[in-house]
Amino acid sequence: MTSVSNDLPTRLPSAILFDLDGTLLDSASDLTYAIGEMLEALGYPKVGIEKIVTWVGNGLQKLIERALVDAKLNLSEMSDIYPKAKQVFDRAYNEACETPSGLYPGVRELLSYCNEQALPIALITNKPEHYTHMLLNGLDLASHFGAIIGGDTLAEKKPSALPLLHAAKTLNVDITDCWMVGDSASDVEAAKAAGCPVVGLTYGYNHGRPISVEAPNWLCDSLKELQDRLVNLYSQSSALV
């Protein structure tokens, strides 16, 4: 395992690739609501947000499956009940996405700053495209990104490197010069597989584990800290011109 540095990078990136849930969007309460409605409709007790946050990060199908496993369904039962579970979940989550939970502090400021500096940015999430665009449009964030990649956009999703490589190609940058910014093992693994340095955010979900155990290249406690580092790097770059 490589060591993790609290010191953010010393060279400007060619682009930044952002995760969504647990990175830009604090979506745990919305997901807790949708999973709760699903479990209740199936005759199982609802679960708290503390449990839900440990299930987030590998897409909505995996989230639903983890909730059903927690409800003590075996594989054959899950196969029979999954279609109804997903139908109820989709209805509840669509409702939640119409008035989504808040963004983490500093999101709008950081994305706007990147745009002002003409620094390309992409969004790479394991959430299906339908919900991703619904949330971004509802929060008026979609226009900030040069590429938006959902969990069903490509044949593979994080922790595969494919979404990151596709984003870099779309933005016309070298993946090795990008930063991946995320909160989970999937983000770190995808970045390492793509050959891209990764900033691990300490406030996210990551299945209930500290992001440091995944050994990202750098740790960051807030998006303001990340923006401050960018401001400093741009200042240094200007001084050299």
Side-chain angles (χ1 to χ4, degrees), residues 102-114:
L103 298 169
Y104 285 108
V107 170
R108 294 190 189 280
E109 293 83 353
L110 175 57
L111 299 185
S112 294
Y113 180 77
C114 290

Side-chain angles (χ1 to χ4, degrees), residues 15-196:
I16 300 182
L17 317 176
F18 289 98
D19 173 51
L20 181 60
D21 296 84
T23 296
L24 303 180
L25 180 66
D26 187 4
S27 57
S29 60
D30 296 336
L31 294 169
T32 299
Y33 168 75
I35 288 291
E37 292 296 294
M38 179 194 81
L39 290 172
E40 187 173 62
L42 297 174
Y44 300 105
K46 294 183 177 182
V47 297
I49 195 169
E50 299 83 4
K51 188 170 283 189
I52 294 292
V53 296
T54 69
W55 297 341
V56 175
N58 300 108
L60 295 183
Q61 178 177 338
K62 185 61 69 175
L63 173 66
I64 293 170
E65 289 175 355
R66 286 169 176 156
L68 296 178
V69 168
D70 186 73
K72 310 303 182 192
L73 274 76
N74 60 41
L75 289 178
S76 61
E77 290 173 320
M78 190 184 305
S79 177
D80 291 337
I81 207 169
Y82 182 85
K84 180 181 178 181
K86 187 174 187 304
Q87 182 180 46
V88 177
F89 174 89
D90 284 344
R91 183 170 62 246
Y93 195 49
N94 266 297
E95 179 185 337
C97 286
E98 291 177 358
T99 54
S101 294
L103 298 169
Y104 285 108
V107 170
R108 294 190 189 280
E109 293 83 353
L110 175 57
L111 299 185
S112 294
Y113 180 77
C114 290
N115 293 161
E116 290 164 7
Q117 301 301 320
L119 175 62
I121 56 176
L123 183 79
I124 305 176
T125 175
N126 283 344
K127 191 185 297 294
E129 272 195 23
H130 165 72
Y131 290 118
T132 299
H133 286 283
M134 189 175 181
L135 286 164
L136 292 178
N137 290 333
L139 293 164
D140 196 25
L141 291 180
S143 62
H144 288 287
F145 298 100
I148 298 172
I149 301 171
D152 54 359
T153 303
L154 305 169
E156 300 173 7
K157 59 187 176 185
K158 298 178 295 184
S160 168
L162 182 62
L164 281 67
L165 297 171
H166 181 80
K169 183 177 181 181
T170 301
L171 297 177
N172 196 29
V173 295
D174 188 330
I175 187 63
T176 61
D177 294 327
C178 298
W179 298 353
M180 179 70 213
V181 178
D183 71 304
S184 76
S186 293
D187 300 312
V188 176
E189 290 174 29
K192 290 182 177 180
C196 169

